[in-house]
Amino acid sequence: MEGYVVGVDLGGTKILTALANLEGRILAKSRQLTKAKEGPEAIINQIVASIEEVTGKANIDNSKIRAVGVGCPGPLNVEKGIIYNTPNLNLKNVNIKEALEAKLTAPVFIENDANAAALGEKWFGAGQERDNLIYITISTGIGGGIIINRRLYHGANDSAGEIGHIVIDPTLDVECGCGDQGCWEAIASGTAIGRLGREAIKQGKQSKMTDLVSEIEEIDGATVTKAAANADKVALGIIERVTNYLGIGVANLVNILNPEMVIIGGGVTKAGKMILEPIREIVAERALDAPAGVVEIVSAELGDDVGVIGAIAKALVEIGVLL
Ligand SMILES: [Zn+2]
């Protein structure tokens, strides 16, 4: 088979587009700020322009593009190509597949961004050679993608993998964006780490965190992580508390799905060993022996390009290049 594919990482702040060959090697890239305020039409036109930009840069005729993969925030209807509602992008019930296919010659396939990232790590990152894995991204929220027998698991209506909303501790008085109490992402995301940092200072605890910012409200997940890396006791206590929640969540997922690998990505993993090692220990302690005995818990490998590489993987899966 000859030709090329395009991957589009459609986010609330930026659109990353890349042209790749059928081995998934990136030949040209484009990066634009998303014109989210200008509505669906403007975003569709931006994506089309970004595809023209990458084919132009690589000097490749548009007719040689076999498929376009688009990773975007959910909820979605993957088969029909509908984005139901994404406040960040100002899109509501938009059939992005049809809108793009009307302007392009190649078929368009959409995927939830965390699911696309899971595909990227499975085919081009840490999960190569693995058939069953869970990808977890921990940043402002917690998202994930579940791969079973080499394929993404979508569930009954494309909402599988919303692991950020498994409830870890409902007795904690922490409300999640979804309206529930004690969801994983409400208590263990980068946002939660920042909130715990601010609360500690407001309670009068002495910490190096205050030296890193000009006012308390500026304390975020990165501030706490930085202070913890400098052996600050209060920050270390917060990281310990959060990694405990992270470990509990991963242990639950490991018990349910018995994956060969759990790949952890997202901004919070910049804290590295401080996060990963305790998660491994907690999983070894809490998960059942059989699944805990086989699972490898590793860092993601693709970094900030995971979204666009995942969109490329989506396109390659859909045209049968990746099986
Ligand atoms: Zn929730």
Side-chain angles (χ1 to χ4, degrees):
M1 196 191 273
E2 282 189 356
Y4 302 88
V5 293
V6 171
V8 180
D9 178 12
L10 172 58
T13 52
K14 59 189 187 306
I15 298 174
L16 294 175
T17 300
L19 176 80
N21 65 15
L22 298 184
E23 278 87 54
R25 193 164 64 83
I26 291 177
L27 306 171
K29 284 204 257 189
S30 151
R31 182 196 162 99
Q32 302 188 19
L33 295 178
T34 313
K35 294 176 181 167
K37 282 184 191 145
E38 293 176 33
E41 184 91 22
I43 292 174
I44 299 293
N45 287 336
Q46 253 192 308
I47 295 172
V48 172
S50 76
I51 294 172
E52 280 163 7
E53 187 187 332
V54 291
T55 51
K57 274 183 185 168
N59 201 16
I60 279 160
D61 196 88
N62 279 345
S63 64
K64 291 191 175 153
I65 297 175
R66 306 291 304 264
V68 176
V70 181
C72 44
L76 310 171
N77 181 317
V78 168
E79 207 174 309
K80 290 187 177 154
I82 301 168
I83 299 182
Y84 287 125
N85 188 13
T86 58
N88 286 344
L89 279 166
N90 201 11
L91 296 178
K92 213 168 184 184
N93 299 321
V94 174
N95 193 319
I96 193 161
K97 178 180 168 74
E98 276 179 7
L100 286 172
E101 284 178 347
K103 295 182 183 239
L104 301 166
T105 51
V108 174
F109 304 97
I110 72 166
E111 192 56 78
N112 165 293
D113 46 14
N115 279 350
L119 280 181
E121 287 289 342
K122 190 265 167 282
W123 290 104
F124 300 111
Q128 298 172 55
E129 317 298 320
R130 300 294 188 285
D131 292 343
N132 297 286
L133 63 87
I134 304 169
Y135 169 78
I136 301 173
T137 173
I138 310 164
S139 54
T140 51
I142 297 181
I146 296 163
I147 289 179
I148 298 174
N149 294 333
R150 303 160 78 84
R151 314 298 287 183
L152 264 178
Y153 178 68
H154 284 103
N157 63 352
D158 296 335
S159 74
E162 288 290 350
I163 57 176
H165 302 285
I166 55 177
V167 176
I168 302 291
D169 188 347
T171 65
L172 288 176
D173 189 24
V174 181
E175 195 171 330
C176 181
C178 75
D180 206 346
Q181 301 277 328
C183 287
W184 204 17
E185 76 170 25
I187 63 171
S189 60
T191 309
I193 295 173
R195 190 195 66 242
L196 290 168
R198 293 190 297 277
E199 280 174 11
I201 301 304
K202 284 175 189 166
Q203 285 160 10
K205 295 200 174 127
Q206 295 299 311
S207 161
K208 288 175 189 162
M209 283 185 275
T210 45
D211 304 336
L212 298 170
V213 292
S214 45
E215 53 184 304
I216 295 175
E217 291 309 317
E218 284 174 20
I219 293 173
D220 62 8
T223 319
V224 180
T225 309
K226 211 184 271 177
N230 285 313
D232 179 77
K233 277 194 183 145
V234 175
L236 280 169
I238 292 168
I239 297 295
E240 192 183 336
R241 184 168 161 189
V242 168
T243 47
N244 185 43
Y245 296 143
L246 288 173
I248 292 171
V250 175
N252 289 342
L253 294 170
V254 163
N255 278 347
I256 298 166
L257 291 162
N258 187 197
E260 296 157 72
M261 184 176 265
V262 173
I263 302 172
I264 302 183
V268 169
T269 51
K270 287 182 182 142
K273 277 187 186 155
M274 217 157 53
I275 299 268
L276 210 56
E277 204 42 54
I279 292 176
R280 287 189 185 121
E281 283 166 19
I282 293 158
V283 170
E285 209 175 285
R286 287 185 179 269
L288 295 171
D289 288 347
V294 294
V295 70
E296 283 178 84
I297 299 171
V298 301
S299 281
E301 287 181 0
L302 299 179
D304 294 338
D305 278 342
V306 67
V308 76
I309 294 171
I312 288 167
K314 171 72 180 179
L316 290 170
V317 165
E318 292 293 337
I319 58 171
V321 172
L322 298 176
L323 292 169

